[in-house]
Amino acid sequence: MDCIFCRIANGEIKGDVVYQDDEVVGFRDLNPQAPHHVLFVPRRHVATVNEFDDADATLIGKLVLAAGKVAADLGVADEGYRLVTNCNGNAGQTVFHVHLHMLAGRVMRWPPG
Ligand code: 5GP
Ligand code: ZN
């Protein structure tokens, strides 16, 4: 299996990594949609949110906690930021290794497109 986010997470490909722990890696998006755009991925390959199960509840929480820590480190926690995960075609998922987008540094519109 050739998964670009697995390769970034395991260091095979150099990413702009801003966060890492035993289970989660955060790196800057190649094509940022905001002044700060960081992707948080589980080190373990999970294709979409649909493949998570109850045993992954802690891992899912760790993705959100990592994003919150990086938001604080970047100084955007109080002004605000957006966390979003796209699942499959209608949501526009293009990389099939689960990732949580953290977007910050500009005002976001709602609803999203
Ligand atoms: P999705 O559309 O699946 O929710 O988001 C995929 C994201 O991954 C996009 O924002 C895209 O810019 C980003 N991306 C795709 N390939 C790479 C890559 O090789 N490196 C990094 N850092 N980001 C990537
Ligand atoms: Zn993967």
Side-chain angles (χ1 to χ4, degrees), residues 3 6 45 97:
C3 170
C6 278
H45 183 84
H97 179 135

Side-chain angles (χ1 to χ4, degrees), residues 15-73:
D16 190 353
V17 174
V18 297
Y19 179 90
Q20 48 185 328
D21 64 29
D22 286 354
E23 291 181 89
V24 172
V25 179
F27 52 91
R28 290 195 176 273
D29 197 290
L30 203 58
N31 182 25
Q33 301 301 312
H36 296 294
H37 187 170
V38 181
L39 305 173
F40 296 87
V41 303
R43 288 189 184 275
R44 193 183 97 227
H45 183 84
V46 180
T48 82
V49 168
N50 291 338
E51 278 68 51
F52 278 138
D53 62 28
D54 288 354
D56 295 315
T58 302
L59 174 61
I60 295 161
K62 286 182 176 181
L63 290 167
V64 176
L65 289 170
K69 283 177 190 159
V70 170
D73 288 348

Side-chain angles (χ1 to χ4, degrees), residues 4-5 27-31 39 86 92-95 99 101:
I4 191 81
F5 286 179
F27 52 91
R28 290 195 176 273
D29 197 290
L30 203 58
N31 182 25
L39 305 173
N86 297 318
Q93 183 175 4
T94 57
V95 177
H99 47 284
H101 295 256

